[in-house]
Amino acid sequence: MMEKNQPATVTIEDMTENGEGIGKVDGYTLFIKDAVIGDVAEVKITRAKKTYGYARLMKVLTPSPDRVEPLCPVAGPCGGCQLQAMSYESQLRFKQKKVQDHLERIGGFRGIEVPPVLGMERPFAYRNKAQYPVGRNKDGEIVMGFYAGRTHTIIPVERCLLGQQVNEQVLAVVKDWMVRCKIEPYEEETGRGMVRHVLIRVAKATGQVMVCLVVNAKKLPDAAVLVEGLMSVPGVASVSYNVNRERSNVILGREVVTLWGEEYIVDAIGEVEYEISPLSFYQVNPEQTERLYGTALEFAGLTGDEVVWDLYCGIGTISLFLAKKAKMVYGVEIVPQAIENAKSNAERNGIRNVEFFVGKAEDVLPEMYEKENMHADVIVVDPPRKGCEGVLLETMVRMKPEKIVYVSCDSATLARDLRVLCDGGYEVRKVQPVDMFGMTVHVETIVLLQRQHT
Ligand code: SAH
């Protein structure tokens, strides 16, 4: 066993799925943030448990061949990018292995070869969305940035290399408005103050920018000053605020008030146009989204005769992408504003063979199957990280669609759910990881399941 503050020299032999380096000293396992597999490093123990401990990277003695100099000056303290010190190729290998490991360890699958991750051409400046927390630093100045890993300390970063340049201009205007009009940032400890987050979204295809301030108030004071400032920022097409008076970590509240412009911005993926409201989910990486949806379309293998269900459909992105090749598409989504977007998106694109339902996938699908006897040839699911509820998976199995296309942003819950579907008579035919989140440990995976006829 080792002790706190003890120094050690370790070779990094492996990495956790969260991107920490793993090294061993006389059989004692150490987890080391910012260490890269292949590094030989000097570390200092920060926390020692009986059989394992945590250590801080003090000095890289021999850098791993995968190690690169991070481009961002705050890549270490900021919690956003866990893998910036790794070359992009090695990041993709890391993600491929992560998916493979999850399928084997959690899903109990043998013999599935996970192919290389579909990577980005340029793994920076890809994010179309940013949510900056607002606070004060020790000197009392207003700061906007990102939370340091696993904390709520704000690292001031107005220029995030994953995001869009216009973000900086927006933040400057918001800060100026706060200073001039004496608007207080929200304080988590006391629940006092006003401005919690600045949400910015940029539509890549149209250049439209959405700015939504998340505030601890019903009404925004001096809104005209803010709007006037934001109108000088190129592309700004929608200015709104979101009311969040809860003392919780959840970023957005339920109510959005439009201050200027439309309530939504418009983007396009491939040939389909989409309206996006502040409360609606929208994929953050437009370039890779096109690849992801293209893969979903390919996996679905539609001929024009199929009835397709798109569960967790958001603003109907996948539904509309598939509708052109299907007989009918039904979308289900829990956020009412997203379904409003989905309906106008269908109309906007002249797509008539779609219908959308507000509700939980695990409520709507069983009800539609049992009461309405609804049928499915293909079911697409794209759940949040926690994956699908058991009752939903059971209903899918009972509905016996020929194909299931599972789009996942968490390969651990994916592997868990695939096991249930395969035990229910499905077989994994294709797996394709797609890198939607370069520089981070996250990976998107898309899987084609085919029903077994016995
Ligand atoms: N397929 C869409 C959205 C995927 S993100 C796209 O690619 O853009 C997951 C979506 O599931 C979000 O829109 C979220 O609001 C929604 N959601 C979360 N829990 C849900 C549930 N239990 N039932 C239905 N939708 C849910």
Side-chain angles (χ1 to χ4, degrees), residues 134 174 177-178 183-186 191-199 212-221 226 240-246 251-257 259:
V134 182
V174 174
W177 164 74
M178 289 178 70
I183 313 269
E184 285 299 312
Y186 178 71
R192 282 201 292 262
M194 165 111 42
V195 183
R196 301 172 75 126
H197 277 84
V198 182
L199 165 66
C212 178
L213 258 55
V214 184
V215 296
N216 176 36
K218 274 264 170 227
K219 217 172 143 7
L220 198 70
L226 175 72
S240 61
Y241 66 93
N242 171 272
V243 179
N244 183 356
R245 313 200 68 177
E246 301 291 318
I251 295 181
L252 291 168
R254 286 194 182 172
E255 186 193 345
V256 174
V257 181
L259 291 170

Side-chain angles (χ1 to χ4, degrees), residues 44 87 91 113 123 140 145 190 199 220 263 279 356 384 412:
K44 194 159 107 182
S87 69
Q91 292 181 22
E113 265 308 300
T190 61
L199 165 66
L220 198 70
E263 188 214 297
L279 287 175
F356 293 101

Side-chain angles (χ1 to χ4, degrees), residues 223-240:
V225 180
L226 175 72
V227 168
E228 200 195 318
L230 287 173
M231 281 173 70
S232 70
V233 178
V236 171
S238 168
V239 180
S240 61

